[in-house]
Amino acid sequence: DVQLTQSPPFLSASVGDRVTITCRASQGIARYLVWYQQKPGKAPKLLIYGASTLESGVPSRFSGSGSGTEFTLTISSLQPEDFATYYCQYLNNDPYMYTFGQGTKLEIK
Amino acid sequence: QITLKESGPTLVKPTQTLTLTCTFSGFSFTTGEVGVGWIRQPPGKALEWLALIYWSDDKHYNPSLKNRVTIAKDTSKNQVVLTLTNMDPVDTATYYCAHRREKTYFFDLWGQGTLVTVSS
């Protein structure tokens, strides 16, 4: 099974900062990596799929990159509404299983 | 516009069986590789995928829960039902249902979630 490891688990930053979150896969997964944003008390929201394709309606300050085993989510200029927890996700085909990373909580400094 | 909403008990006792219903609208569960999945999240913890069902009635389960979890659909009612047997306090979580976009590998729309507490 593919395991996803996110780093850092917690990140403190200020409005206007550029931040990067990393998701590492235990084996190569091409570009089949997804990112979600979750705010407290809310359901996750799809941000990026295919490692770098922005979901419709997601601000362009969000970007994703990577392939194989290392992926990054970058927010170019943090806005107040971006403070949330971010999860990466992959679909393992054998066994069939959706795997999520442990999350990165982005907090206001 | 696709919407999903979870319903079911908020409190169950240990050893009981949990049954949750996901009622959806805005998409047809009769064509394509549309799927509906269940994902849970214990308080303060990460997301965990439980099960997924396709329009074709093909079903997939998290191997760690395979003996306890069942998923089924009622196309006529636009509902997907999750059953989890032998509930334990560690199963306390917010349970989400989500729409898996056709022919993809991710969930593009989620219900609001429902918190289920397991306690005697």
Side-chain angles (χ1 to χ4, degrees), chain A:
Chain A
D1 304 7
V2 172
Q3 306 298 319
L4 298 177
T5 303
Q6 288 184 234
S7 61
F10 297 95
L11 182 56
S12 183
S14 301
V15 172
D17 284 354
R18 178 184 179 90
V19 299
T20 297
I21 298 168
T22 297
C23 179
R24 289 186 173 86
S26 58
Q27 56 188 273
I29 60 172
R31 293 177 58 81
Y32 295 106
L33 196 283
V34 183
W35 291 99
Y36 299 91
Q37 175 194 65
Q38 186 180 33
K39 296 182 179 179
K42 300 295 186 183
K45 172 189 173 184
L46 174 66
L47 291 179
I48 288 170
Y49 57 91
S52 62
T53 301
L54 220 59
E55 172 69 349
S56 175
V58 174
S60 59
R61 62 181 180 272
F62 290 90
S63 64
S65 66
S67 66
T69 61
E70 186 154 334
F71 301 85
T72 59
L73 171 69
T74 299
I75 309 172
S76 60
S77 179
L78 273 173
Q79 298 303 300
E81 61 267 30
D82 300 336
F83 291 94
T85 300
Y86 294 84
Y87 291 94
C88 56
Q89 176 247 302
Y90 169 71
L91 171 57
N92 204 76
N93 281 311
D94 187 19
Y96 188 105
M97 180 167 175
Y98 292 82
T99 299
F100 292 90
Q102 289 304 107
T104 294
K105 185 174 184 179
L106 178 54
E107 300 176 319
I108 301 174
K109 185 181 287 184

Side-chain angles (χ1 to χ4, degrees), chain B:
Chain B
Q1 179 190 1
I2 293 174
T3 64
L4 307 99
K5 187 173 184 180
E6 306 85 353
S7 59
T10 57
L11 178 66
V12 297
K13 290 179 168 43
T15 75
Q16 286 187 336
T17 294
L18 172 68
T19 300
L20 294 174
T21 300
C22 174
T23 302
F24 59 86
S25 63
F27 66 94
S28 173
F29 211 15
T30 58
T31 59
E33 292 184 20
V34 172
V36 172
W38 285 93
I39 301 100
R40 70 180 179 181
Q41 185 173 39
K45 296 188 177 180
L47 301 163
E48 179 186 30
W49 171 74
L50 303 177
L52 181 133
I53 188 165
Y54 284 109
W55 70 281
S56 61
D57 210 36
D58 191 16
K59 302 164 188 174
H60 296 276
Y61 299 106
N62 186 320
S64 69
L65 292 166
K66 191 169 185 178
N67 294 331
R68 298 177 51 209
V69 64
T70 303
I71 193 169
K73 63 179 174 65
D74 186 332
T75 305
S76 66
K77 294 181 179 179
N78 278 0
Q79 291 180 335
V80 172
V81 176
L82 179 82
T83 302
L84 190 60
T85 62
N86 194 24
M87 292 290 283
D88 183 271
V90 300
D91 296 312
T92 293
T94 296
Y95 287 75
Y96 297 99
C97 64
H99 173 268
R100 199 203 79 153
R101 184 174 290 174
E102 185 175 348
K103 299 180 182 178
T104 69
Y105 46 91
F106 53 83
F107 300 100
D108 60 346
L109 290 159
W110 298 57
Q112 64 189 24
T114 185
L115 175 62
V116 178
T117 302
V118 184
S119 175
S120 55

